[in-house]
Amino acid sequence: MTYSYVSHLYCPKCEKMYSTKNQNQLCECGSPLLVSYKMDELKEVFRPENLNGRSADLWRYHEILPVESEENVVSLGEGMTPIVKMEKIGHDMKIPNLYMKDEGLIPSGSFKSRGAAVGVSKAKELGVTELAMPTNGNAGAAWSLYSSRAGIKSTIVMPVDAPEITRKECMAAGANLFLVNGLIGDAGQIVARAVKDEGMFDASTLKEPYRIEGKKTMGLEIAEQFNWEVPDVILYPTGGGVGLIGIYKALRELQELGWIDADKMPRLVAVQSEGCAPIVKAWEEGKTHAEPWKDASTIAFGINVAKALGDFLILEGIRETNGCAISVSEESIMTELRAVSSMEGAYVCPEGAAAFAAARQLREQEWINDDDRVVVLNTGAGIKYPNTIQGDVVTLEPGDSVPKTKESVQ
Ligand SMILES: *Cc1c(COP(=O)(O)O)cnc(C)c1O
Ligand SMILES: [Zn+2]
C-alpha cells in the first residue's frame, strides 16, 4: 500500500518543477513552492469509504499528504477538531446556520500544530537536523514542540510583543529562543541571516513547502464533517494566509478526486484587522499582490503580518471562489470575543473573534445571505491570550457571604 501519492513540487508563478526528495525552499524565482500529487492514479483507488475506521487525526488523509513513510510521522494526535453549531450568536447575527471549527482544541492550542506536524515530519524524512523560523508566537511554539518530538533542534525568533505563553512553550520545548524588538518581518531577517551563516533549514512561512499541506487538512476536515457537501462561506483570520491557501488547495484536490461537487466552492473570506490589512487593501484595489502595511498593530497578534510571501495565492483563492477580504476594527474584535464567550461558552482567540466580527459585518452588508451555511475558523484557544479579558473581581474573606447585588466580573 502506498502511504503517500506525492508527486513533485511546482512553482505557481513560473511552473518550474522540483523533486520532493531534496530539501527545497523557495523557487529560484522567489515564489513559494506547492506540492503536487498523482491525482490520476489516486482517483482510481481512493474513496471516502477508505477513511472509515482510520484515526481521528489529520493523518487519516495520508494519501494526499507529503510524508512518504509512515515511520517519519511525528504526531501528537492533531486534527479532526469539532465543528460546533453556534445557535445563539448565529441568531444574534441573523445567520441561522453559523458554525465554528474550533482549532483551540489542538495540541499547543492553535492550528499551527497542523502545519508543524506535517512540516516537521517531512523535515525529518528529508534528514533535517536543525531548523530556524521567525514567528508571531504560535507557530514557534508548535514547531519547537514538534521538533523536540522529532529530535530536531530549533531556533525561534519572535517579537517581544508576541503572546507570552508562546515564549514559555518554546522554552519548555528546549528551543533556542530569541526575542526581537520589532515585528515578525524583523525576526525574518534575523532568521535569514542565521540560515545563511549556520546552514539551518529555513522553516519560515511558505519558505518550506509542507506547512501548507498540514494546514490544508482544515479544508479536508470541513468537507468530510459536512458529509462532502461543502458550506457556502468559510471565514479565516489571515496573516501569512497559509490556512486560506491550504483550504483552497484542499477543496480543489477534493474536486479533482470527485469527492465534492466540481461546481461548488465555498466563498473564502480573508479576515484582517484594521490595524494590519494589506490583503484587504490589495483586494479592494483589485491588485494581485499586496504592499507592505506600515506600523502594523493588532491585538489579534497571529494576523499581524505586514507583508505575506503568499499574498498572490491568497488573493487568487478569494477571487476564484467569489470570496472577499474584509477588515474589522480592534473594538469589534473585543466586543465579539466577549459576545461569543458569554453567549456560547466558547472562549475564542482574538483572531477567531475577528472572523466572527467579519461574519456579522458581511451579514449586515448582505454579502452573507440568511440561508448560507457559514463556517468561522477559531484558529486558537482563548486561554493562550489571558489578557484579552480584564476586570475586577471581588475578593471575599473566609466566612463572608456573597454580596446581594452582584458587582463582580465585567
Ligand atoms: C498564525 C495564526 C493565524 C494566521 O495564520 P496564517 O496562516 O499566517 O494566515 C490566525 N490565528 C492564529 C491564532 C494564528 O496563530
Ligand atoms: Zn518559480
Side-chain angles (χ1 to χ4, degrees):
M1 251 231 9
T2 313
Y3 190 68
S4 167
Y5 281 74
V6 66
S7 164
H8 59 275
L9 296 168
Y10 69 97
C11 172
K13 265 202 179 140
C14 75
E15 295 180 3
K16 195 172 156 56
M17 300 206 286
Y18 295 83
S19 165
T20 54
K21 307 284 181 209
N22 308 323
Q23 293 178 15
N24 284 297
Q25 310 250 236
L26 293 174
C27 178
E28 319 179 316
C29 79
S31 164
L33 294 172
L34 298 176
V35 182
S36 185
Y37 296 86
K38 298 170 199 153
M39 294 309 248
D40 287 334
E41 246 177 81
L42 198 51
K43 236 185 316 206
E44 302 301 318
V45 296
F46 196 31
R47 304 268 180 277
E49 299 81 66
N50 293 118
L51 303 176
N52 294 345
R54 289 193 183 176
S55 60
D57 59 41
L58 61 79
W59 299 100
R60 64 198 277 103
Y61 309 110
H62 58 77
E63 282 89 345
I64 39 175
L65 290 174
V67 179
E68 295 197 64
S69 169
E70 193 173 359
E71 283 164 26
N72 293 318
V73 168
V74 182
S75 174
L76 291 164
E78 58 289 328
M80 248 331 152
T81 52
I83 292 186
V84 186
K85 185 102 193 264
M86 304 298 265
E87 295 278 355
K88 285 199 223 157
I89 196 92
H91 178 76
D92 191 57
M93 288 182 190
K94 302 189 170 55
I95 306 177
N97 293 304
L98 180 68
Y99 298 85
M100 167 180 71
K101 185 162 177 65
D102 193 3
E103 296 290 302
L105 280 100
I106 277 192
S108 93
S110 89
F111 80 117
K112 291 297 195 302
S113 287
R114 292 181 187 268
V118 174
V120 167
S121 297
K122 191 63 188 177
K124 182 180 167 199
E125 187 159 86
L126 294 171
V128 170
T129 55
E130 199 167 354
L131 57 79
M133 70 187 311
T135 173
N136 267 345
N138 284 331
W143 279 73
S144 60
L145 289 161
Y146 280 84
S147 291
S148 306
R149 190 165 173 88
I152 295 174
K153 280 193 208 147
S154 58
T155 295
I156 310 286
V157 187
M158 66 171 71
V160 282
D161 292 336
E164 208 177 322
I165 185 67
T166 61
R167 238 188 249 183
K168 312 274 177 179
E169 290 175 277
C170 293
M171 287 159 74
N176 199 12
L177 172 70
F178 299 95
L179 304 178
V180 59
N181 250 321
L183 298 178
I184 188 171
D186 303 300
Q189 283 179 8
I190 293 169
V191 166
R193 217 167 304 136
V195 164
K196 206 155 143 262
D197 298 346
E198 320 272 339
M200 297 170 189
F201 182 71
D202 192 342
S204 307
T205 303
L206 292 174
K207 285 194 186 170
E208 68 79 47
Y210 302 107
R211 176 197 295 218
I212 183 173
E213 296 302 299
K215 291 193 177 180
K216 103 181 165 187
T217 57
M218 289 188 289
L220 301 175
E221 288 176 19
I222 290 171
E224 184 176 1
Q225 288 170 305
F226 280 101
N227 208 13
W228 312 112
E229 284 189 24
V230 294
D232 299 290
V233 178
I234 299 176
L235 295 110
Y236 174 76
T238 303
V242 188
L244 191 140
I245 300 166
I247 290 171
Y248 178 58
K249 187 171 187 285
L251 295 169
R252 290 286 296 268
E253 287 171 357
L254 290 175
Q255 286 185 331
E256 257 184 278
L257 288 173
W259 290 18
I260 59 171
D261 189 341
D263 299 323
K264 189 185 169 191
M265 266 285 177
R267 281 128 64 206
L268 300 181
V269 180
V271 179
Q272 300 199 300
S273 155
E274 284 174 0
C276 180
I279 300 297
V280 180
K281 182 161 185 285
W283 171 253
E284 285 171 351
E285 292 171 355
K287 300 212 169 110
T288 52
H289 288 75
E291 297 296 319
W293 191 265
K294 288 202 188 65
D295 302 321
S297 161
T298 167
I299 183 165
F301 208 74
I303 55 174
N304 200 30
V305 179
K307 168 72 188 164
L309 200 54
D311 53 359
F312 66 104
L313 295 170
I314 305 170
L315 291 160
E316 183 193 318
I318 303 171
R319 201 170 51 239
E320 293 295 317
T321 60
N322 294 316
C324 71
I326 183 172
S327 60
V328 296
S329 70
E330 289 290 293
E331 197 192 337
S332 70
I333 293 175
M334 291 315 297
T335 312
E336 207 65 54
L337 194 149
R338 279 179 180 275
V340 175
S341 307
S342 61
M343 279 189 222
E344 298 284 2
Y347 184 7
V348 296
C349 65
E351 295 83 355
F356 276 103
R360 187 184 294 279
Q361 220 164 290
L362 289 172
R363 179 70 190 101
E364 278 163 10
Q365 297 167 13
E366 297 188 359
W367 190 91
I368 290 177
N369 304 313
D370 66 353
D371 57 353
D372 280 339
R373 279 203 299 182
V374 177
V375 176
V376 168
L377 281 154
N378 177 44
T379 40
I383 50 172
K384 291 196 86 172
Y385 308 72
N387 297 328
T388 51
I389 300 292
Q390 306 282 354
D392 294 322
V393 181
V394 176
T395 304
L396 304 176
E397 295 304 323
D400 280 358
S401 352
V402 174
K404 278 259 160 36
T405 40
K406 221 165 129 242
E407 346 175 306
S408 59
V409 250
Q410 191 26 258

